[in-house]
Amino acid sequence: MPELGLTLVSGRHHLDREVRWVVPTDLRDPRRYLSGGELVLTGMMWRRAERDSDAFVRNLIAAGVTALGAGDHPDFHSVPSDLVDACAEHDLPLFTVDAEVAFAEITERIVQRLSAGRSGDLASLLDRHRRLIAADGIGQILELIDRELGMECLVLSPAGRALRGSLELGESERAAVVARAHAADRLPQKVTLDRHRCYSVFGIGSTIHTGRFLVVGDDHTRWSPERRLVAEQLSALLMLELDDPSQRPAPHVELVTALREGRADEHLLRSAGLPADGPATVIAATGESEALRETVIAEVLHYATAATMEDPLDPPAAAWASRGGETVAVLAGKAALPEERARLVAWARRSAKVLQAAHPGGTGAIGVGIADPVASPGGLRGALEQARHTAALAQPRPGRIEVAEPDHLVSHRMLLAAVPPDVSRAFRTRVLDPLLEYDARHRSDLLPTLRRFLECDGSWRQCAVSLHVHVNTVRYRMRRVEELTGRDLRNPLDRMDLALAVSLD
């Protein structure tokens, strides 16, 4: 296909390899979306350092990929030499994609070739898919699934937010679906919520975070190979549409670097596509896992702007970037109004809860801080410092994602954050270890009951109702807590000791 302007860089001795399918992706590790024989197209958004190329290629080799096509990255005029070297070392054919050629066009041409050798019905269906690329792709692709395959579907964000589709799932159901999808070694994944409801979850790769999901109201394990092939292609088309730069918040390293150095001004805000006047909020996430940091940030930015727009897929008025163990975002416009902050924090916490359940154990703690809105570029530096201090107050532990807000700067969290970790652990151990040992020895629930009792502001009845036990059971457990800890729950100072220890648990 010379008209596509592809240039072979390495792997000429493998030109006879068969291409089973084509998958565009910029995930650092796309193995769970691959089943072997794919031609992978990448814009190299995963590359942050030279060493990333070897890791990326190793993952492709492990998945049995046929070849790699690279290009379309705004910062690279040619394929980096480290990627060329990695492909040569691991014997993976590599070609470059001309900047004027869209991945969608390459996908379209390969699908045409593949469909020519299959049944007439499938070829006709795939031809309709091809025509959808030039139209309102997302809406019409989902309509096609409903109409041609006879099943309702829904596109979900990594944290389970419904983006678009006709399939109705409640919030808890969506959270359960994405948790199973995140935990799966390979996609698609069959998910059964109860005996009567079975869904199939297909992966939609992402250039920023851990990917979105296409949920179909049917069991794909019972499909014919042709039908499953159609679903995979629909997922690939959705990936192309959703990963369009106009559909996601763009990384803007220059703005974030200037913000960290106190140089952010009106010009830089406008260059990042943000208004230079009006409210702006700074969000900071710290922790070891860059992928999880960026996923939480992306969820918050999309949610914040979707709440003020008719279409939840509209691009947010935001810019972000990751630098040195920290991900910083600037959110502007209506979504940054002071009255929106509570809703923003609530969604950040819900996203953190879903992602934490999806990655048990995690790769590191994540702290997220959301600052008070500011009215001018000159206040952004102070907002960043506030967001950083707030993130530090989140006090995350390994495998946890915690979210804090500026109100915590004037609470006990500020005092706890100033205490050395060893001292905090010693305090928690001294107060709570008797309860932990008792629970372990007697298989009881003293510590969970204490936590719920404190959450219910010391209300015996409310605590009993929430735990589905008799109020006398709560009274008995709390007497045991007092005996084991030496604290009197009627004494405000003793209750404060217990509350602080529980908050460190």
Side-chain angles (χ1 to χ4, degrees):
M1 306 179 190
E3 66 277 9
L4 291 183
L6 309 179
T7 302
L8 186 66
V9 176
S10 65
R12 182 172 298 277
H13 55 295
H14 286 310
L15 290 181
D16 58 343
R17 284 188 176 181
E18 180 180 348
V19 175
R20 186 186 65 82
W21 205 242
V22 57
V23 176
T25 184
D26 275 315
L27 288 172
R28 294 177 178 83
D29 185 0
R31 284 177 292 178
R32 62 203 304 267
Y33 298 95
L34 304 170
S35 54
E38 293 92 351
L39 168 63
V40 169
L41 301 175
T42 181
M44 298 177 286
M45 299 294 291
W46 44 264
R47 186 185 180 277
R48 304 297 172 81
E50 292 184 3
R51 63 179 181 276
D52 293 341
S53 293
D54 185 74
F56 180 73
V57 173
R58 284 179 182 272
N59 289 331
L60 298 187
I61 292 295
V65 164
T66 292
L68 173 66
D72 198 30
H73 191 292
D75 296 335
F76 300 134
H77 299 296
S78 61
V79 176
S81 59
D82 46 275
L83 180 57
V84 176
D85 294 341
C87 288
E89 180 180 350
H90 298 290
D91 201 23
L92 179 67
L94 170 69
F95 62 86
T96 61
V97 179
D98 190 278
E100 303 300 320
V101 178
F103 284 174
E105 185 176 354
I106 300 174
T107 302
E108 170 189 338
R109 295 293 298 277
I110 293 178
V111 168
Q112 282 181 313
R113 293 286 186 93
L114 292 174
S115 64
R118 304 184 186 275
S119 67
D121 289 342
L122 179 59
S124 176
L125 185 59
L126 291 178
D127 185 59
R128 284 198 290 273
H129 299 172
R130 176 189 60 78
R131 292 198 301 270
L132 286 174
I133 294 177
D136 177 19
I138 297 171
Q140 292 191 26
I141 290 170
L142 297 181
E143 289 175 7
L144 186 65
I145 297 175
D146 284 350
R147 184 175 69 253
E148 299 289 347
L149 299 184
M151 19 180 127
E152 294 183 324
C153 61
L154 180 65
V155 177
L156 297 179
S157 74
R161 180 167 52 93
L163 299 180
R164 187 177 287 179
S166 57
L167 183 64
E168 294 187 3
L169 290 175
E171 183 175 304
S172 61
E173 295 168 327
R174 297 197 303 271
V177 167
V178 297
R180 289 282 301 277
H182 280 300
D185 292 331
R186 297 278 181 174
L187 294 175
Q189 173 78 9
K190 175 182 175 182
V191 176
T192 303
L193 295 183
D194 55 44
R195 290 186 300 173
H196 307 291
R197 292 186 300 164
C198 178
Y199 304 95
S200 295
V201 186
F202 291 80
I204 305 174
S206 170
T207 59
I208 301 177
H209 39 71
T210 55
R212 285 149 288 190
F213 305 101
L214 170 65
V215 184
V216 179
D218 195 25
D219 180 3
H220 73 279
T221 63
R222 300 180 179 179
W223 294 354
S224 66
E226 288 78 11
R227 170 170 282 200
R228 180 161 172 171
L229 188 64
V230 168
E232 290 179 354
Q233 174 59 11
L234 290 168
S235 298
L237 292 180
L238 284 170
M239 184 192 307
L240 290 170
E241 294 290 341
L242 290 169
D243 277 344
D244 185 276
S246 65
Q247 299 288 357
R248 63 178 186 263
H252 203 284
V253 176
E254 184 180 2
L255 173 62
V256 171
T257 300
L259 177 58
R260 288 160 60 109
E261 297 174 356
R263 298 185 291 101
D265 55 22
E266 295 183 5
H267 172 73
L268 277 173
L269 285 172
R270 291 195 180 96
S271 68
L274 304 180
D277 54 355
T281 292
V282 176
I283 307 170
T286 58
E288 297 174 18
S289 174
E290 186 174 288
L292 282 180
R293 291 200 318 262
E294 293 183 357
T295 298
V296 174
I297 290 290
E299 280 291 319
V300 172
L301 297 184
H302 275 292
Y303 174 80
T305 53
T308 60
M309 298 180 180
E310 294 183 359
D311 189 342
L313 293 174
D314 278 344
W320 66 274
S322 292
R323 291 287 301 275
E326 178 183 61
T327 301
V328 175
V330 180
L331 175 67
K334 292 172 60 179
L337 291 171
E339 56 266 29
E340 296 291 327
R341 198 189 73 194
R343 185 163 55 180
L344 203 65
V345 171
W347 177 256
R349 287 182 175 145
R350 183 196 175 282
S351 299
K353 181 179 179 180
V354 173
L355 291 167
Q356 182 176 299
H359 299 274
T363 57
I366 304 296
V368 180
I370 300 177
D372 288 317
V374 295
S376 68
L380 288 176
R381 174 66 181 179
L384 172 59
E385 291 304 318
Q386 185 187 53
R388 283 172 167 169
H389 284 298
T390 306
L393 295 183
Q395 290 192 306
R397 294 178 296 282
R400 296 290 296 271
I401 305 173
E402 303 286 355
V403 178
E405 57 185 311
D407 290 347
H408 292 158
L409 291 172
V410 291
S411 75
H412 70 277
R413 289 175 177 261
M414 180 177 64
L415 296 176
L416 292 176
V419 176
D422 290 343
V423 176
S424 297
R425 282 193 294 269
F427 172 74
R428 175 194 170 280
T429 297
R430 181 179 294 272
V431 176
L432 297 185
D433 264 13
L435 303 183
L436 292 169
E437 293 172 2
Y438 186 92
D439 283 345
R441 188 167 58 250
H442 298 278
R443 297 184 178 180
S444 56
D445 296 306
L446 294 186
L447 183 56
T449 304
L450 172 62
R451 181 180 291 107
R452 185 58 58 87
F453 179 75
L454 295 170
E455 291 172 352
C456 294
D457 295 324
S459 169
W460 306 100
R461 185 169 301 279
Q462 185 179 348
C463 180
V465 170
S466 66
L467 292 175
H468 306 291
V469 298
H470 195 276
V471 66
N472 287 340
T473 301
V474 176
R475 293 182 183 275
Y476 168 77
R477 292 177 182 176
M478 291 301 97
R479 281 199 299 270
R480 296 297 297 156
V481 167
E482 290 178 325
E483 293 170 1
L484 291 168
T485 63
R487 264 74 174 181
D488 183 351
L489 286 168
R490 294 168 298 181
N491 185 314
L493 295 179
D494 285 352
R495 186 184 290 189
M496 183 184 299
D497 281 348
L498 293 170
L500 291 175
V502 167
S503 72
L504 293 170
D505 183 37

